[in-house]
Amino acid sequence: MLVERGLRVMNVEAVGDAYAIASNYLRKTGAIPDTFMTNDRLLEIIVQMFHRGECNKIRLANKAISQFEATQRAVGF
């Protein structure tokens, strides 16, 4: 499904699938709480990468996981 956002078109399915993959992994490792709430930081990372041109959901998820974990380590969580 494509949603028009100004001049950009976003593939909601790829972003949603990437978020589901990444959040599932991060929940299982304990990096994010096991709740149904959306982790805004993780979603923001995925959307930013998508806007930079990455549209493969597996690659999006893997890169988002790496970036999210790096951010958590830097902050000290």
Side-chain angles (χ1 to χ4, degrees), residues 63-77:
K63 288 181 178 182
I65 290 167
S66 295
Q67 188 173 341
F68 186 88
E69 289 177 332
T71 304
Q72 295 295 84
R73 280 192 297 273
V75 173
F77 288 104

Side-chain angles (χ1 to χ4, degrees), residues 42-77:
L42 179 61
L43 183 59
E44 182 182 319
I45 291 168
I46 292 170
V47 170
Q48 286 175 356
M49 285 190 292
F50 183 83
H51 284 213
R52 281 186 248 139
E54 183 59 65
C55 55
N56 179 292
K57 64 184 176 184
I58 301 296
R59 220 171 300 137
L60 272 170
N62 287 334
K63 288 181 178 182
I65 290 167
S66 295
Q67 188 173 341
F68 186 88
E69 289 177 332
T71 304
Q72 295 295 84
R73 280 192 297 273
V75 173
F77 288 104

